């Protein structure tokens, strides 16, 4: 049971906590006080003790709001040492562990572990098994819930989790709370088994050994937690090997060697086989479900479509767009890093239902501007979204208002499947839908099929090609049903055919009511798709207007497009243009 608490905190939420066994001890010593000093009976006493462990666990997890990884591991083990020395070893607080705890009884049934010749009663074993099953079922439900998806997103990438509307800090603390409660219940069972709370059983060093065992079993899954319970000190495998083979201290040596081999060869632990079977079953189920959809595939385009168009004629028939409501307004936006202004007093408006292009040379400040809009970069100036000030709002709060984005580096959840990435992207829309401010969501499977990823829904994102990863990033952003979608180089890594197909999909997205701000270096995509274009150079706005106006702007040509007045593509030679139709 205590091993499962590590699955929640570390396996799901990615927060390395080395204090889970100590938190179990908090509940065990708390149980002693609740039962003996306050007279609270079973099952209320262990539940209250678990809640007390939850409170302490949240306090232990508070540093996770500022630190992560090794730093967090050091903070949690330091907290465990403090709790152990201050409380477990303090005779004035716990009577030196000499107080006997009465065994649990329920409706007249004696569920105690027994004593003397009757120690190890079957009734107590059944109690432990029931608690284990309830904990496993609850954590399994958590894994499939929206909260579980949020935890997995935080574990994979905190920045992209915030971009889809997940409150990263809240998710971390909730993970610590749930994990600490589960650990507390396990600690109460240990206290009932030993008939008293013994500080040595909850020593921080023993907690380190337990954490290592959980990692060996497979810390990212319930099956790994179960295996860890069998392998840990006092578990079934441990008991059988030490009793029949007299391994003694060599058991610890054997586990240590297995741990080193597991870290090198199989980071998912001994439960990897269970994971592989589960993935195959899921793939089969999803294939059956997707058979009802008509996946959109990227078909080969005719030769003429693949030839580079003459961009001097791009959007030659464009008409002045009717004035629309301004949904996003930026006034004098400034982003500074030290003495350098990455964005220098940029102002512009985005009208509802349009596609606004954002172009400029590398280092012009395009991605920094998007980071400022989404709350990932500190800025000054005024930001308005649908009549509301964005200044001061955190990234997940802006996402929940309907401001979605993709990242230049994609920031996918590589350990999750394509479908799980898209499901996580629904976080912001689910909240708006619940409040009546968003349309009803379509099924994630259908979205994957429509974006051309129907056959890869069960594939981990890390196994996809760069072009497919780009499509997953777009699908995840669309799953949040944003009102304004900020796309940071979505055509990066796509070939010509895929880029043409992406442009058509973006038109359909715009026609469905999503306003788009597009950053990309594919000038055919930008000039042929956007209604208006904003040009940045060295952090400052140097031009804005329709594609044809930008195409013939001398300052833009000098800063970015090159010699744009001879009818050739930026960066293309005359020979390139002559050979283009043969591509």
């Amino acid at each position: 049971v205590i091993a499962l608490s590590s699955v929640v905190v570390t396996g799901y939420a990615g927060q390395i906590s080395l204090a889970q066994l100590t938190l179990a001890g908090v509940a065990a010593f708390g149980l002693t006080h609740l039962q003996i000093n306050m007279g609270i009976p079973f099952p209320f006493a262990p539940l209250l003790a678990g809640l007390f462990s939850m409170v302490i666990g949240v306090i232990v997890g508070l540093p996770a709001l500022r630190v992560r990884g090794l730093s967090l591991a050091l903070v949690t083990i330091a907290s465990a040492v403090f709790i152990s020395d201050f409380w477990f070893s303090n005779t004035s607080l716990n009577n030196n562990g000499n107080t006997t705890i009465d065994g649990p009884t329920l409706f007249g049934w004696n569920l105690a572990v027994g004593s003397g010749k009757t120690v190890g009663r079957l009734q107590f074993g059944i109690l432990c098994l029931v608690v284990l099953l309830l904990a496993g079922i609850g954590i399994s439900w958590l894994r499939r819930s929206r909260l579980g998806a949020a935890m997995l997103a935080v574990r994979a990438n905190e920045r992209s989790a915030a971009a889809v509307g997940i409150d990263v800090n809240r998710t971390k603390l909730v993970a610590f709370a749930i994990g600490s409660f589960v650990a507390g219940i396990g600690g109460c069972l240990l206290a009932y088994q030993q008939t008293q709370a013994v500080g040595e059983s909850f020593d921080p060093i023993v907690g380190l050994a337990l954490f290592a065992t959980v990692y060996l079993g497979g810390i990212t899954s319930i099956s790994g937690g179960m295996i860890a319970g069998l392998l840990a000190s006092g578990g079934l495998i441990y008991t059988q090997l030490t009793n029949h083979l007299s391994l003694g201290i060599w058991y610890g040596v054997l586990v240590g060697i297995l741990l080193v081999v597991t870290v090198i060869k199989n980071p998912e632990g001994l439960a990897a086989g269970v994971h592989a079977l589960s993935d195959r079953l899921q793939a089969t189920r999803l294939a059956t479900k997707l058979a009802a959809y008509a996946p959109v595939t990227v078909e080969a385009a005719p030769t003429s479509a693949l030839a580079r168009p003459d961009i001097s004629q791009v959007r030659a028939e464009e008409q002045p767009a009717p004035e629309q409501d301004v949904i996003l307004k930026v006034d004098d936006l400034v982003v500074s890093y030290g003495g350098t202004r990455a964005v220098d007093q940029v102002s512009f408006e985005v009208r509802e239902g349009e596609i606004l292009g954002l172009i400029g040379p590398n280092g012009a400040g395009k991605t920094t501007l998007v980071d400022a809009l989404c709350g990932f970069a500190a800025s000054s100036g005024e930001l308005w979204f649908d009549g509301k000030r964005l200044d001061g709002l955190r990234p997940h709060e802006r996402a929940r208002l309907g401001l979605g984005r993709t990242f230049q580096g994609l920031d996918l959840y590589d350990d999750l499947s394509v479908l799980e990435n898209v499901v996580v992207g629904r976080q912001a829309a689910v909240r708006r839908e619940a409040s009546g401010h968003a349309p009803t969501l379509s099924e994630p499977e259908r979205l994957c099929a429509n974006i051309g990823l129907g056959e890869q829904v069960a594939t981990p994102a890390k196994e996809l090609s760069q072009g497919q990863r780009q499509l997953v990033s777009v699908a995840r952003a669309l799953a949040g049903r944003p009102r304004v979608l900020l796309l940071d180089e979505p055509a990066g890594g796509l070939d010509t055919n895929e880029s043409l197909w992406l442009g058509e999909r973006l038109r359909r997205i715009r026609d469905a009511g999503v306003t788009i701000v597009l950053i990309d270096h594919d000038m055919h995509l930008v000039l042929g798709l956007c209604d208006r274009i904003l040009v940045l150079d060295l952090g400052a706005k140097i031009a804005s207007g329709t594609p044809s106006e930008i195409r013939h702007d001398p300052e833009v040509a000098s800063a970015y497009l090159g010699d744009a007045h001879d009818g050739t593509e930026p960066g293309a030679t005359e020979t390139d243009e002559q050979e283009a139709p043969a591509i």
Side-chain angles (χ1 to χ4, degrees):
V1 173
I2 299 172
L4 289 179
S5 76
S6 290
V7 171
V8 173
V9 178
T10 304
Y12 289 176
Q15 309 306 301
I16 302 178
S17 173
L18 303 180
Q20 295 308 110
L21 186 62
T22 301
L23 292 171
V26 168
F29 282 94
L31 175 67
T32 304
H33 177 75
L34 290 169
Q35 186 184 92
I36 296 175
N37 297 337
M38 302 180 66
I40 300 177
F42 178 89
F44 303 106
L47 290 175
L48 290 174
L51 291 174
F52 179 61
S53 178
M54 175 191 292
V55 173
I56 301 300
V58 169
I59 296 174
V60 170
L62 285 175
L65 305 184
R66 300 298 298 272
V67 298
R68 60 179 65 90
L70 179 60
S71 298
L72 181 59
L74 292 174
V75 170
T76 55
I77 191 64
S79 301
V81 171
F82 170 77
I83 293 172
S84 178
D85 290 345
F86 176 77
W87 186 359
F88 300 169
S89 302
N90 191 335
T91 57
S92 62
L93 292 179
N94 58 42
N95 198 25
N96 202 25
N98 293 325
T99 304
T100 301
I101 300 174
D102 294 333
T105 58
L106 185 65
F107 303 122
W109 298 339
N110 182 8
L111 303 177
V113 69
S115 60
K117 294 182 179 181
T118 62
V119 70
R121 298 174 67 247
L122 179 62
Q123 291 87 336
F124 180 74
I126 293 175
L127 171 64
C128 293
L129 181 61
V130 169
V131 172
L132 175 63
L133 289 176
L134 290 175
I137 292 172
I139 295 173
S140 176
W141 173 85
L142 173 66
R143 172 63 176 79
R144 299 191 300 271
S145 69
R146 196 174 73 201
L147 175 59
M151 289 181 182
L152 294 174
V154 170
R155 181 191 74 184
N157 192 305
E158 293 185 14
R159 191 169 71 139
S160 60
V164 297
I166 295 172
D167 187 336
V168 174
N169 290 343
R170 174 182 173 274
T171 301
K172 289 180 179 181
L173 293 182
V174 169
F176 271 97
I178 295 175
S180 300
F181 178 79
V182 174
I185 296 299
C188 291
L189 291 178
L190 277 177
Y192 282 131
Q193 180 191 31
Q194 298 169 349
T195 69
Q196 60 182 8
V198 181
E200 289 79 5
S201 299
F202 307 104
D203 186 86
I205 302 303
V206 179
L208 280 173
L210 176 61
F211 182 87
T213 306
V214 179
Y215 189 94
L216 173 62
I219 202 166
T220 61
S221 67
I222 295 174
S223 55
M226 297 291 188
I227 293 174
L230 297 174
L231 291 173
S233 177
L236 182 61
I237 294 177
Y238 169 87
T239 302
Q240 294 300 315
L241 290 179
T242 53
N243 288 349
H244 296 289
L245 299 181
S246 302
L247 290 178
I249 62 172
W250 290 105
Y251 181 82
V253 175
L254 177 62
V255 171
I257 293 174
L258 284 175
L259 178 63
V260 173
V261 173
T262 298
V263 170
I264 297 173
K265 296 293 186 181
N266 190 6
E268 291 193 0
L270 300 178
V274 179
H275 298 172
L277 176 61
S278 176
D279 291 342
R280 287 196 296 270
L281 293 175
Q282 184 187 32
T284 302
R285 179 183 64 82
L286 290 174
T288 302
K289 189 170 184 177
L290 285 167
Y293 302 143
V296 177
T297 57
V298 182
E299 299 177 353
T303 303
S304 59
L306 291 178
R308 299 174 185 171
D310 181 357
I311 64 172
S312 64
Q313 303 300 322
V314 170
R315 303 184 65 87
E317 299 178 357
E318 64 184 14
Q319 300 294 330
E323 288 296 326
Q324 297 156 308
D325 294 335
V326 173
I327 188 171
L328 181 64
K329 183 177 180 181
V330 178
D331 286 332
D332 295 327
L333 182 67
V334 175
V335 179
S336 299
Y337 297 106
T340 302
R341 283 193 172 185
V343 178
D344 189 3
Q345 292 185 313
V346 173
S347 299
F348 63 94
E349 296 178 346
V350 181
R351 301 165 190 157
E352 191 166 10
E354 75 170 345
I355 300 179
L356 175 70
L358 184 60
I359 65 173
N362 290 329
K366 304 182 297 294
T367 297
T368 303
L369 188 149
V370 172
D371 285 343
L373 292 177
C374 295
F376 292 101
S379 64
S380 61
E382 293 186 358
L383 301 175
W384 296 84
F385 178 75
D386 196 21
K388 300 176 182 177
R389 285 288 294 269
L390 293 179
D391 311 48
L393 296 182
R394 291 185 291 173
H396 73 274
E397 294 171 328
R398 303 186 191 199
R400 291 175 183 177
L401 289 176
L403 195 62
R405 72 165 297 179
T406 64
F407 291 88
Q408 185 176 5
L410 301 185
D411 286 0
L412 296 181
Y413 315 126
D414 285 338
D415 293 336
L416 305 186
S417 68
V418 169
L419 181 62
E420 287 174 323
N421 270 270
V422 175
V423 168
V424 170
R426 291 161 50 97
Q427 296 289 325
V430 166
R431 292 182 178 273
R432 294 202 311 280
E433 184 183 72
S435 62
H437 294 119
T440 302
L441 291 169
S442 60
E443 297 182 65
E445 294 91 343
R446 185 184 299 276
L447 179 56
C448 290
N450 288 340
I451 204 72
L453 296 168
E455 297 180 358
Q456 288 83 28
V457 287
T459 304
K462 61 186 175 183
E463 297 180 8
L464 301 177
S465 68
Q466 180 66 14
Q468 290 172 326
R469 287 170 60 83
Q470 287 282 7
L471 295 179
V472 174
S473 178
V474 174
R476 183 181 64 186
L478 289 175
R481 291 296 180 96
R483 295 191 61 191
V484 174
L485 179 59
L486 308 169
L487 298 175
D488 196 349
E489 299 194 24
L494 301 184
D495 60 28
T496 304
N497 199 28
E498 291 172 328
S499 181
L500 291 172
W501 181 83
L502 176 64
E504 179 58 32
R505 300 305 298 176
L506 294 180
R507 285 191 185 94
R508 295 186 186 181
I509 293 167
R510 186 269 309 276
D511 294 340
V514 179
T515 303
I516 297 176
V517 176
L518 173 67
I519 299 175
D520 213 285
H521 289 290
D522 185 337
M523 293 313 301
H524 291 304
L525 177 66
V526 174
L527 293 172
L529 184 65
C530 297
D531 300 294
R532 292 187 302 121
I533 298 176
L534 175 70
V535 187
L536 297 182
D537 186 29
L538 299 177
K541 182 175 75 172
I542 61 173
S544 65
T546 64
S548 60
E549 291 171 344
I550 296 300
R551 169 72 180 87
H552 297 94
D553 189 302
E555 189 174 2
V556 176
S558 174
Y560 183 52
L561 295 181
D563 188 359
H565 298 278
D566 59 0
T568 61
E569 177 187 0
T573 65
E574 183 178 354
T575 303
D576 291 332
E577 287 300 313
Q578 293 172 349
E579 295 178 352
I583 294 178

